């Protein structure tokens, strides 16, 4: 390591990273690479929180707020000072900023402070909302038939300021397309200035709010009408104003808001680990997915029993895994104890079904016994046939689980030890939010992929009576994966509106899309 590198290491480095306009898929590869290695992340209101999933769990996250018009969580000076402090402390800091850091992002102001303090930095451009908002509203900001120039303008200036930096007289007709940031509050002033300086009142204008997110909202008018259109639609910041003939192309190109599930707010109720397939598919069609995982899988608080059994695995006759999670959490604990699969050498191993067996093979172990019937009863019968009298059987499993298997084995003369390795816990704090959303009529559909998701959902909703449940769920469509899940829904007094012919996630999504296309309610 040369001297300059070691000096910069000890002083840390600040990476100003453009977060893109909102859609988490629009982050650059460089940005993702840096987030994955960050020790500290300082992020803004406009940077999508979903990007934080790239950050290591050990990283320190600092939200510095800044909401147009509202309270500033931190002043620019405080942010500058914080970055310098973190840099001097030797940290690898990602300063995540909405859109591109150098387009109305005050990126340069932060860098000037870093330069003054001698702290190394790097800047990673981002997809600016200026182009993304237009693109996601179906507007190409240039088109050789309509315009040869674009101007990016801030609309934030105080209209009462005597000396303006913005030459509205020149801009009004000087550039074909105008993209105006932070201009919603000043929209009447801006449109008046443009018309006063010769831009036709008939010039098409679009306003796009929360572009490239499921909340995107866009409206269209002319210089003469847009103020009223925006007022009627109740559009608030953050939004961009796009002025110019290119706005006309929207009627042909608008692709994002025309997707069949755009604007639909769909609840997905699965455990965190499993929800992603369904969410990804629904999002492809434009749905706004609200993930209410009804169960979280967590390690148990006390590993005493398991640790004791691991220490004497050589005297165990059968080790039984009744779920995929049991395998995962068992081996996680083994690793924490500094051990590996060799500790299992003495015991025979049984699994409840094929999927659990496949999971086990990931650790280099092939199960000695997989029952023909993949249930607790099936497994117990197969073991009893193999002979369990006076055998020591260890079952690592969930803290709370069905007791059929251990009971049947004990009755057949086995010594059964249940060792909790993981627990199912309801996620905290989400219950109230779900009830509020339902009560406000803000949910279009709820999806269920198993009977237990129905039961857990009902527990979360926690209706005081069947009548209250009906009220909360009025107007909410229900989609289920198959007939068994549907039966559980019907038994709770609710109705199923969508069910696929084949019981798979992709088929369920297709059925949902078909449902909205059929009802003509698709976006
Ligand atoms: N550096 C950012 C702009 C920051 S200024 C960029 O390159 O995009 C903040 C303004 O950007 C907002 O007031 C709004 O006008 C615009 N903006 C940012 N993200 C937006 C989004 N997703 N949809 C619409 N406008 C957005």
């Amino acid at each position: 390591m040369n001297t300059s590198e070691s000096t910069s290491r000890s002083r840390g480095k600040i990476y100003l990273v453009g977060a893109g306009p909102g859609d988490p898929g629009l982050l650059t590869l460089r940005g993702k690479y840096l987030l994955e290695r960050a020790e500290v992340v300082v992020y803004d209101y406009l940077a999508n929180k979903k990007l934080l999933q790239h950050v290591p769990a050990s990283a320190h996250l600092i939200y510095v707020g800044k909401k147009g018009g509202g309270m500033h969580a931190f002043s620019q000076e405080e942010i500058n000072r914080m970055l310098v402090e973190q840099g001097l402390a030797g940290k690898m800091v990602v300063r995540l900023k909405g859109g591109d850091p150098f387009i109305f992002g005050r990126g340069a102001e932060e860098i000037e402070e870093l330069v003054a303090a001698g702290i190394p930095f790097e800047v990673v451009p981002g997809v600016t909302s200026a182009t993304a908002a237009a693109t996601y509203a179906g507007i190409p900001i240039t088109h050789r038939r309509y315009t040869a120039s674009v101007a990016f303008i801030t609309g934030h200036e105080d209209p009462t300021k005597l000396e303006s930096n913005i030459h509205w007289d020149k801009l009004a007709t000087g550039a074909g397309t105008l993209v105006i940031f932070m201009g919603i509050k000043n929209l009447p002033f801006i449109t008046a200035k443009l018309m006063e300086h010769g831009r036709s009142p008939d010039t098409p204008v679009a306003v796009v709010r929360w572009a490239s997110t499921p909340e995107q909202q866009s409206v269209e008018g002319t210089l003469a009408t847009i103020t009223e259109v925006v007022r009627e639609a109740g559009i608030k910041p953050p939004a961009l104003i796009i002025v110019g003939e290119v706005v006309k192309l929207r009627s042909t190109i608008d692709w994002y808001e025309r997707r069949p599930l755009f604007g639909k707010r769909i609840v997905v109720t699965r455990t965190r680990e499993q929800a992603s397939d369904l969410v990804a598919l629904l999002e492809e069609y434009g749905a706004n997915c609200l993930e209410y995982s009804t169960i979280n899988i967590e390690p148990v608080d006390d590993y005493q029993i398991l640790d004791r059994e691991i220490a004497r695995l050589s005297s165990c006759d059968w080790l039984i895994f009744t779920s995929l999670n049991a395998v995962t959490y068992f081996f996680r604990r083994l690793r924490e104890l500094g051990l590996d699969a060799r500790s299992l050498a003495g015991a025979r191993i049984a699994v409840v079904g094929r999927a659990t067996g496949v999971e086990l093979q990931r650790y280099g172990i092939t199960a000695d016994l997989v029952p023909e019937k993949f249930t607790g009863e099936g497994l117990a019968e197969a073991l009893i046939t193999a002979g369990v009298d006076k055998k020591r059987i260890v079952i690592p499993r969930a803290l709370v689980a069905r007791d059929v298997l251990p009971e049947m084995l004990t009755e057949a003369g086995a010594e059964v030890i249940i060792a909790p390795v993981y627990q199912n816990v309801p996620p905290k704090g989400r219950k109230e939010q779900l009830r509020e959303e339902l009560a406000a009529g803000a949910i279009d559909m709820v999806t269920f992929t198993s009977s237990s998701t129905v039961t857990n959902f009902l527990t979360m909703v926690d209706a005081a009576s069947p009548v209250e449940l009906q009220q909360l769920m009025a107007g909410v469509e229900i989609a289920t994966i198959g007939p068994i899940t549907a039966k559980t829904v019907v038994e709770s007094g609710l109705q199923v509106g969508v069910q696929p012919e084949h019981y798979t996630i992709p088929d369920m999504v297709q059925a949902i899309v078909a449902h909205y296309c059929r009802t003509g309610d698709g976006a």
Side-chain angles (χ1 to χ4, degrees):
M1 194 187 268
N2 67 31
T3 349
S4 78
E5 262 180 36
S6 57
T7 331
S8 45
R9 177 83 200 105
S10 65
R11 258 182 293 152
K13 187 162 175 175
I14 316 292
Y15 296 85
L16 255 77
V17 175
D23 182 341
L26 296 180
L27 177 72
T28 61
L29 289 175
R30 177 73 180 150
K32 177 166 177 277
Y33 175 91
L34 293 169
L35 281 177
E36 283 165 352
R37 286 158 182 78
E39 290 175 286
V40 180
V41 179
V42 181
Y43 64 103
D44 272 338
Y45 171 61
L46 286 173
N48 192 331
K49 311 295 164 286
K50 284 192 177 165
L51 295 177
L52 299 176
Q53 77 194 30
H54 299 302
V55 175
S58 57
H60 182 34
L61 304 178
I62 305 172
Y63 176 63
V64 289
K66 271 205 184 176
K67 200 168 175 171
M71 287 279 292
H72 283 199
F74 283 84
S75 70
Q76 189 62 48
E77 291 66 36
E78 284 170 319
I79 296 172
N80 296 350
R81 204 174 320 124
M82 183 191 302
L83 293 178
V84 169
E85 273 167 22
Q86 297 287 354
L88 290 175
K91 298 289 188 211
M92 179 323 193
V93 182
V94 170
R95 168 74 176 108
L96 196 59
K97 297 174 81 72
D100 183 281
F102 280 175
I103 298 184
F104 299 120
R106 305 182 79 163
E109 293 172 41
E110 292 175 10
I111 287 175
E112 279 155 12
E113 297 286 329
L114 297 176
V115 170
I119 294 163
F121 67 90
E122 183 179 314
V123 187
V124 182
V127 175
T128 176
S129 62
T131 54
T135 301
Y136 278 61
I139 303 165
I141 52 175
T142 73
H143 187 296
R144 56 190 183 139
R145 260 206 313 275
Y146 299 103
T147 173
S149 56
V150 188
F152 290 175
I153 305 162
T154 170
H156 189 51
E157 269 204 336
D158 182 354
T160 59
K161 208 163 98 179
L162 286 176
E163 282 286 315
S164 172
N165 285 325
I166 303 171
H167 300 287
W168 292 109
D169 54 337
K170 301 209 167 63
L171 281 168
T173 50
T177 308
L178 309 178
V179 182
I180 303 162
F181 292 74
M182 300 173 276
I184 293 304
K185 246 178 53 203
N186 283 342
L187 190 58
F189 168 79
I190 293 166
T191 48
K193 280 281 168 209
L194 293 174
M195 290 186 283
E196 179 189 320
H197 292 292
R199 196 82 185 225
S200 159
D202 297 330
T203 311
V205 183
V207 170
V208 192
R209 178 172 200 248
W210 277 129
S212 81
T213 75
E215 317 281 339
Q216 176 172 317
Q217 192 187 359
S218 61
V219 291
E220 222 178 305
T222 62
L223 273 184
T225 65
I226 195 72
T227 299
E228 187 53 23
V229 172
V230 163
R231 202 189 53 78
E232 262 178 29
I235 293 192
K236 306 225 155 34
L240 275 166
I241 305 159
I242 303 155
V243 180
E245 296 302 312
V246 284
V247 170
K248 285 184 190 153
L249 291 161
R250 199 168 126 79
S251 56
T252 320
I253 298 176
D254 185 18
W255 57 278
Y256 186 72
E257 292 180 31
R258 271 192 213 152
R259 292 171 308 160
L261 301 181
F262 181 79
K264 294 279 170 273
R265 305 186 87 231
I266 302 183
V267 170
V268 174
T269 53
R270 303 186 73 178
T271 59
R272 281 220 67 71
E273 289 74 14
Q274 300 166 319
S276 48
D277 285 358
L278 180 55
V279 170
L281 279 172
L282 289 170
E283 284 179 348
E284 275 307 303
Y285 290 100
N288 185 359
C289 290
L290 312 166
E291 289 182 63
Y292 282 98
S293 43
T294 49
I295 314 170
N296 278 349
I297 312 284
E298 286 180 8
V300 286
D301 304 322
D302 182 358
Y303 275 113
Q304 238 183 346
I305 303 177
L306 183 71
D307 290 356
R308 192 189 64 210
E309 292 311 317
I310 286 177
R312 54 177 190 183
L313 269 180
S314 53
S315 69
C316 157
D317 296 298
W318 283 102
L319 184 61
I320 301 180
F321 292 104
T322 52
S323 74
L324 228 122
N325 287 320
V327 175
T328 312
Y329 282 83
F330 177 86
F331 281 93
R332 184 194 276 198
R333 185 62 187 164
L334 208 57
R335 219 175 24 246
E336 281 170 6
L337 295 173
L339 300 168
D340 60 30
R342 285 171 294 182
S343 306
L344 281 66
R348 275 181 296 169
I349 296 172
V351 293
V352 72
R354 203 176 299 128
T356 312
V358 170
E359 183 65 15
L360 197 58
Q361 270 168 343
R362 293 187 43 212
Y363 301 89
I365 292 172
T366 304
D368 299 292
L369 189 150
V370 187
E372 263 171 34
K373 254 181 31 213
F374 297 164
T375 61
E377 288 85 345
L379 178 57
E381 280 160 17
L383 280 162
I384 290 166
T385 312
V388 294
D389 191 28
K390 308 221 166 36
K391 301 278 192 243
R392 257 171 53 78
I393 300 180
V394 177
I395 312 178
R397 62 166 211 186
L399 192 58
V400 180
R402 288 171 77 216
D403 282 326
V404 185
L405 174 68
E407 275 167 10
M408 286 174 75
L409 295 175
T410 310
E411 237 166 72
E415 181 200 347
V416 178
I417 296 130
I418 293 171
V421 274
Y422 69 93
Q423 54 184 333
N424 296 313
V425 290
K428 301 174 192 78
R430 305 276 285 158
K431 191 172 137 180
E432 291 71 26
Q433 199 183 334
L434 176 61
R435 278 181 63 95
E436 274 168 29
E437 297 249 19
L438 284 171
I443 288 174
D444 295 291
M445 178 178 272
V446 179
T447 58
F448 294 118
T449 50
S450 69
S451 285
S452 62
T453 59
V454 181
T455 324
N456 289 322
F457 175 80
L458 293 173
T459 312
M460 279 229 277
V461 172
D462 195 20
S465 65
V467 175
E468 198 205 6
L469 181 64
Q470 302 278 355
Q471 280 167 351
L472 282 169
M473 295 294 286
V476 179
E477 300 271 11
I478 294 177
T480 58
I481 194 159
I484 298 181
T485 312
K487 189 162 163 274
T488 314
V489 170
V490 172
E491 279 166 5
S492 72
L494 298 170
Q495 271 178 5
V496 176
V498 179
Q499 195 185 298
E501 222 173 281
H502 303 288
Y503 315 144
T504 70
I505 298 283
D507 284 295
M508 182 177 176
V509 173
Q510 284 308 323
I512 293 172
V513 171
H515 170 80
Y516 281 118
C517 290
R518 197 171 46 246
T519 55
D521 195 19

